[in-house]
Amino acid sequence: MPSISIPSGTPVKHKLASNSPITDFNPLPAKERYFKFANEMTRQFLGPMPVQDFLDELLPKPPTPRPTDIEPFDFEAVKGYESKFRCAPTSAPTSSSTIPRASKTRRLPYATKPDISIIPKRSDASETPNTNWTNIQLFIERKPHLSDPFHDPAPGADRKEHRFVKDSDDATESRGQMISYASAQMTMQFRQFCFSISIIKGDEARLMRWDRGGAIVSERFNFVKDPAPLLEFLWRFNHLSPEQRGMDPSVSPATAEEVAMAVEAKIAAEGDPVHKMHIKNDADKVDHYYLVSRPTAYSIGVCGRSTRGYIAMDMETKGRVWLKDSWRIDTPEMPKEFKIYEKLREKNVSNVPKCHCG
């Protein structure tokens, strides 16, 4: 009889490095970390997308057109590559808008600090601004020309044959730094996607949209000679709903009553953040709601499944359950994970927990 190899643990799943989330929480030196991020996402960038196409495809037009009487952009060098970013509209947005504010960031994973961070306007000006990654809506990074992570094709060149991602050390490090920022934002928040701006030298820019499959990057454009594209991006972004800015609509902040329930169920401690997750069960289309706090396990990265595990409270039974939150590959050929659990339990396979919904 042939010998049978019995596995002693979970079989190894081989997958491309560019799709692997970063799970090493050891604080590598910044440069090594950036190169690691960049190498894992080399094939995950799509571009260059014409700027107007980027705006029209990815940012819905607001009900109020952008004012035309806006002063040109100006940069005031402070030191190194730091700068003050100025844009002075002469007409204020409507009072119902959420006006982003620019601020430096602090207390971030790996001490990550983009040049400019956009956060929601505070309702009380006396409050200390929350510049943690849990609150950042948009990040802006400024680099010299040599560090532009991408290279646009010449006019009339064959785009199919063009290598958009630059592989110089300066460009790779810069790209990895931007990936680390997008990774921090998408790890510390419940997001479907996020936006960023890359400022090059001081007069050019690229617009970027990040999601679990990679990033879409615009062509480089001069916003000093023609400020309209950047002004339009900021105006549209300012008027986007949280979902249009990339927030996950199936997750919402818990109410004060729900926070108290989470603390009583011992899934959260006093002062911990608590959120309510919505799951529509595929089997019977019934809605289920769970309270979660800090994940017991999660990974840092842009691309991939970004799996998080929670000890959660079932809002219906008030019992504690294990909740796995991840991004699956969306294809009919790959069965959903909860269906596999159901089949295993039907065959009486041992050590398979009951799946409540998925």
Side-chain angles (χ1 to χ4, degrees), residues 41-85:
M41 270 193 69
T42 299
R43 299 176 60 85
Q44 308 304 125
F45 291 93
L46 180 64
M49 189 175 191
V51 179
Q52 192 59 50
D53 290 350
F54 186 101
L55 293 171
D56 292 342
E57 293 291 333
L58 303 176
L59 289 94
K61 288 185 178 180
T64 306
R66 171 176 56 86
T68 56
D69 53 346
I70 297 180
E71 295 178 11
F73 289 99
D74 181 34
F75 274 89
E76 176 186 340
V78 179
K79 60 180 179 179
Y81 293 128
E82 295 183 359
S83 62
K84 290 181 180 177
F85 186 60

Side-chain angles (χ1 to χ4, degrees), residues 217-229:
V217 186
S218 80
E219 292 177 330
R220 197 165 77 186
F221 61 94
N222 192 307
F223 61 85
V224 173
K225 293 181 179 178
D226 181 13

Side-chain angles (χ1 to χ4, degrees), residues 13 15 19 21 185-187 189-194 209-214 243 246-251 277 299 301-310 323-331 334-337:
K13 180 177 181 180
K15 55 184 176 180
N19 290 329
Q185 185 175 6
M186 296 181 73
T187 298
Q189 301 178 22
F190 294 99
R191 280 192 167 270
Q192 300 181 94
F193 57 88
C194 66
R209 180 192 182 277
W210 307 77
D211 62 28
R212 296 302 177 188
E243 184 175 354
M247 300 304 293
D248 185 347
S250 68
V251 183
M277 283 191 176
S299 56
V302 174
C303 295
R305 300 191 179 191
S306 186
T307 301
R308 299 169 180 169
Y310 298 91
L323 190 149
K324 179 181 177 181
D325 179 36
S326 66
W327 290 82
R328 68 180 185 86
I329 298 175
D330 190 9
T331 174
M334 182 172 291
K336 297 179 180 180
E337 187 172 331

Side-chain angles (χ1 to χ4, degrees), residues 298-351:
Y298 64 97
S299 56
I300 295 180
V302 174
C303 295
R305 300 191 179 191
S306 186
T307 301
R308 299 169 180 169
Y310 298 91
I311 297 175
M313 191 197 86
D314 187 327
M315 294 285 289
E316 182 179 1
T317 67
K318 304 300 186 291
R320 300 207 311 172
V321 297
W322 174 255
L323 190 149
K324 179 181 177 181
D325 179 36
S326 66
W327 290 82
R328 68 180 185 86
I329 298 175
D330 190 9
T331 174
E333 289 75 24
M334 182 172 291
K336 297 179 180 180
E337 187 172 331
F338 79 94
K339 290 186 177 292
I340 297 175
Y341 294 148
E342 290 176 350
K343 288 183 178 180
L344 293 175
R345 282 185 63 84
E346 288 173 1
K347 300 299 181 181
N348 297 317
V349 176
S350 61
N351 301 320

